[in-house]
Every structure is written in C-alpha cells, then in structure tokens.
Amino acid sequence: MKQLPEIGGLGKPSPTGPRAPSIRRGRLSWRYVLCSLIASYIVYCYAFSLPLFAHLLPEYSGPYPVGAVDVEVPLASPRVVDTARLKGSKEKAFEIETVLFTIYYPAAQNAVSQKPKHYWISKPISATTAGYAKFAHIGNFVVDKLLAGAVGALVGNIQVPAQVDVSLADLVATVTEVPETRDDVREIEKVIRIAEGGHPVIIFSHGMASGRTSYTHYAGELASRGYVVVMLEHRDGSCPGSIITKNGEPDKTKLLFDVGDVESASGKDLSVPEFKRAQLDFREAEIEEAVRVLKLINAGQGDEIFAKSSRGEGADFRNWKGRLNTDDMVVAGHSYGATGAMQALRGGPSAARPFRGAVVLDPGKHSGRLNDDLRVPVLVVHSNSWSSRVSLFYGRPHFDSVREIVENNVLRGMPSWFATSLGTSHPSVTDAPLLEPLLLSWTTGARIDVYEGLRQYVHVSEDFLSFLGTGDKRGLLREKAEFPEYDEGKGFGVWKPGQDHGEADNWRRYWQVHVSPN
C-alpha cells in the first residue's frame, strides 16, 4: 500500500515511520500583513463613511457657527467680455451667462439645517477630474474614467463642515465693562456703529486650476468670526470643470482651457498677453456681477434672487435685508485670483467695485502684469516658497515688483503691508494640505504644520480686516518692516520662542515683514 505523504514533508515519508499528520502555521509575510492592513482600512473607511487616505476638513474655531449657500444667478442678458472663441465649438470663450459663488457666513446659534452639507468636490466629480486631466495634458476617455474613480474614492465623500442654508447671525456689539474715560465711550460707540452697519463682506477670487471649494476652510474660519465671505467660481478657463446651470435649461460643463484652445473672432491665434488680459477682464466682470447680486439681497430682493438661483439655496435671503455692508466691501484672492483682486481695485472704489481694501495672497507670477493703481489699504502675503524662489517678472524679480507696489501705496497715504509667511508653500492657504498633509508637505516643501500655517493666514487676515473697520493695528500689523528682502538665513525654524525680545515676539517664528506703514 502506497504511503500518504506527510503534510509539510515535501512528499517524503518520515524516517521513523508513519505518524499522525500535523499542521504547522507558516510565518506571516510582509505582503500578507500589508494587504490585510489596507483591506481593514478600506473596510473601516467604508463602514464609517470616511475618505480613503485623506483627512476630514476640521470644524471652524470662531465664536459663530458657519452657514453656506450656493448661488447661481443668470444675467439679464449674456455679457461678452471678449470676442475670442473656443477653437473646437466656436462658442464664445469669455461670455458670462450666470455668476456662481458660495457664501460662507456667520450663522445663528443652534441653527440646524435640513439640507445635506456641500461636498468638497461638487458633483459630478467627472467634470472636475476631466479638467485636471486636460490641465496635465493626459486627458482621454480611459484616463478620465480612471481619474474620476480614484479621486472619488480618495476625497469624493468629504463634506464641507458648514450648515447649508441656515439663518444669518445677528451681529450685535455687547458692552460688558463700564468705560472709564470719554475716549473709551467713543471707542465703544465706534464698535457699535460698525456692528449696526452690517456684516463685512469679502469677495474672494480663486487661483489657477482651482474653484470655489478650494479654500473652504479659510473662508469658513473668517465666517466664524463674523465675516461674510463670497467664494467665486470663475468660468474664465482657470477652473478645472464648472457646471453652468439655469432653471429650465440643460446643464452645460465648461472645462479648463488655455491660450492654445482659443482664437480671435476672425480665426487668429491669441498671444499669451492677450489671453491673460481677457481672463482678468472676465474675472473682473464676474466680481462685479457678484457685487450686484449681493446688493440686491441687501436691498430686500432676497426672494427674487432665491427664485432665480438654479442651486435651490438661499431661502433665508428674505431676512438678509440691510444686514450686509455692501457699501464697503473687501476683495481678496490667491495666485491668479490675487492678480485679479488687484485689478479689481483699478480706479479706486466705485459702485460696481466698492472695495475699501484687499487681501492679496501670492500674487501671480504668470498671470499678467500686477495693477499698481490701488488707492486703498492692502495686505500682501507671500508664502515662503513664493518669496524664496527668485522669478523674473517683466525683466525684474517678482518679489521686487510686489514690494515696490506696496511701498508706493504706503507713500500715497494708504496703510499697507507686505510680509512672508515662513515655512509655508503656495497651496498652504488652500484646503489641500488639510486633506493630504503628508503628501502636500512632501511635494511642495512646506515645513510648517498645515493647521498652524492656515491659522497664521486666518489671523493676519482677520487683523487686517479689523483694521479696515476700526483703524486699530494689532498683531503683525503693529510691527515695523525689518526685512526689506526675504532672508532665508532667518527663515522658519531659526527663531525660537523667548529669543531676542521675549515671548511677546513669537510672531517672528512665522513671519518676515517687508513693508509696513509703521
């Protein structure tokens, strides 16, 4: 009778004769452990509706809850900003049909929405990912599908932590202490008058390959401190993919496009400067349209705006009458949007662009000339990477051009600042580092903790916005310009708390001030 091979004996009989078979557990390989951990992580994320390999957006830290409303309103008639057309479809490339933005605002206490929260990437995700694929010059049917699936798995279920379409908070100044002097009385009266004037309004313009949801945490943090922040979505070719919606009409997707995708009305190619000028003019026109809509809401036409908006949000606009300060707004932007914000200041405040100040974050290096006709106070912030990398800008270093614009504005009597946020990189003010902190730090070279970096942007912006309302300088705005040039040798990580002037100067750990009115 043929003997059965012993398990684990490679088919050879035991040299001591037959014995009961035994089972031996093999060692766990690193591949088995890794695959098991990944599988467990995927099951965990699926069970608790968490994104794969990404962090959720944090809650806001200010005293107000935060509300969010999507608004898309058609113009009375389409507005053609430039006659250039798309080469393939021959459609007008720079025609405004609707204006789209999300309003982040301080909400009433204990407000609870019955509507689902906004997704960080608007649906359908394929519109955004197709634009990114086109931007990277890898777009085709297969890549678009794969990219949509991958992005959907990574961040498709991430939501913005703001309550949708809830009531606007009342902005009330309360006095808790009895003033000691008449000067204190005047100061309290000044604060109350500002409160009665309505919530300060900021219109924000996004950068290249971004959209209205790219800066939700920055916007939400300011909203939690009493500001109304309007995050525009530009249809100038810079947004990866934007859905144009009108009540009663089919949706249209407008993908990112560049100078090579457009031509003049006569069929000639545009130069890069011509294309950039058309984009900036288009952005300025969209900013003006957003101002127009906000003024209508503040004037008591909230119900009409709600009815016209194709996004189905804004039911509480009827109660916003007289509660926004639409006479003295602030314009802000990042990168290409910073260049656009500066352009929106041309000629000084006007009815269409009633801006009394600007927050300019990393003004663009490849988005056209920077407007130097400002006429209002400005805060210009460079990320560490924007200041440290020398870039020629129309024949001279970009840093020098920015510094000169701010210095000239100070000489005109407009208090203005230019500073570098140490340890940060170009995307640090966006949501991206919060969602993927390790990946963004590795790819962009940012050395600061992502939460601290964004916190510094919020604090300096809030100090500047407060200055516009009260005239009081606080925080970084009180400091003198000690660094005419960016100094890598005194950058992030060099200064330690308690050094030089003591703990009160901890701001030196995070900032270099290049221009100041002090």
Side-chain angles (χ1 to χ4, degrees), residues 339 362-368 385-387 389-393 398:
T339 304
D362 277 358
K365 296 183 177 183
H366 304 286
S367 52
S385 62
W386 222 238
S387 286
R389 296 172 187 168
V390 178
S391 303
L392 284 182
F393 185 73
H398 177 270

Side-chain angles (χ1 to χ4, degrees), residues 9-195:
L10 300 179
K12 297 180 181 180
S14 169
T16 57
R19 64 184 180 188
S22 64
I23 299 178
R24 295 189 304 179
R25 180 174 295 172
R27 289 180 299 172
L28 297 179
S29 69
W30 67 267
R31 294 182 182 84
Y32 177 86
V33 173
L34 179 62
C35 291
S36 298
L37 290 173
I38 292 175
S40 300
Y41 177 73
I42 292 174
V43 171
Y44 172 80
C45 290
Y46 178 79
F48 292 95
S49 300
L50 298 175
L52 289 174
F53 310 111
H55 293 203
L56 296 176
L57 290 169
E59 297 290 334
Y60 308 114
S61 61
Y64 291 98
V66 176
V69 175
D70 277 343
V71 180
E72 184 167 14
V73 177
L75 278 62
S77 59
R79 180 176 174 179
V80 178
V81 177
D82 190 277
T83 57
R85 63 191 186 187
L86 297 173
K87 288 182 177 178
S89 63
K90 306 302 180 183
E91 294 179 358
K92 295 182 178 67
F94 298 106
E95 179 183 59
I96 305 178
E97 300 180 62
T98 67
V99 60
L100 170 63
F101 51 85
T102 302
I103 306 176
Y104 294 89
Y105 57 94
Q109 295 293 335
N110 302 317
V112 178
S113 176
Q114 301 302 314
K115 295 182 178 180
K117 293 180 179 178
H118 292 161
Y119 284 105
W120 184 68
I121 295 185
S122 302
K123 309 297 183 180
I125 292 176
S126 58
T128 299
T129 55
Y132 279 125
K134 185 178 179 181
F135 182 71
H137 305 289
I138 58 174
N140 58 55
F141 178 81
V142 175
V143 170
D144 290 352
K145 292 293 184 182
L146 291 174
L147 192 58
V151 172
L154 288 171
V155 294
N157 290 326
I158 289 180
Q159 294 179 322
V160 178
Q163 296 287 332
V164 174
D165 212 359
V166 292
S167 300
L168 177 68
D170 290 325
L171 187 57
V172 179
T174 58
V175 179
T176 57
E177 296 180 358
V178 177
E180 297 179 359
T181 68
R182 293 188 59 83
D183 288 339
D184 292 336
V185 172
R186 286 196 296 270
E187 185 63 26
I188 291 171
E189 290 175 349
K190 186 177 181 181
V191 172
I192 292 175
R193 285 200 300 273
I194 292 168

Side-chain angles (χ1 to χ4, degrees), residues 445-492:
R447 292 172 289 164
I448 196 170
D449 174 80
V450 294
Y451 299 100
E452 184 61 47
L454 194 47
R455 187 181 301 118
Q456 290 297 320
Y457 276 102
V458 171
H459 286 336
V460 74
S461 298
E462 183 187 10
D463 288 344
F464 177 72
L465 296 169
S466 175
F467 165 78
L468 292 178
T470 66
D472 296 329
K473 299 172 186 176
R474 68 188 194 194
L476 193 69
L477 273 59
R478 294 181 302 199
E479 306 305 326
K480 295 181 179 180
E482 298 181 355
F483 296 89
E485 302 286 345
Y486 169 77
D487 190 339
E488 181 69 38
K490 295 184 178 179
F492 181 72

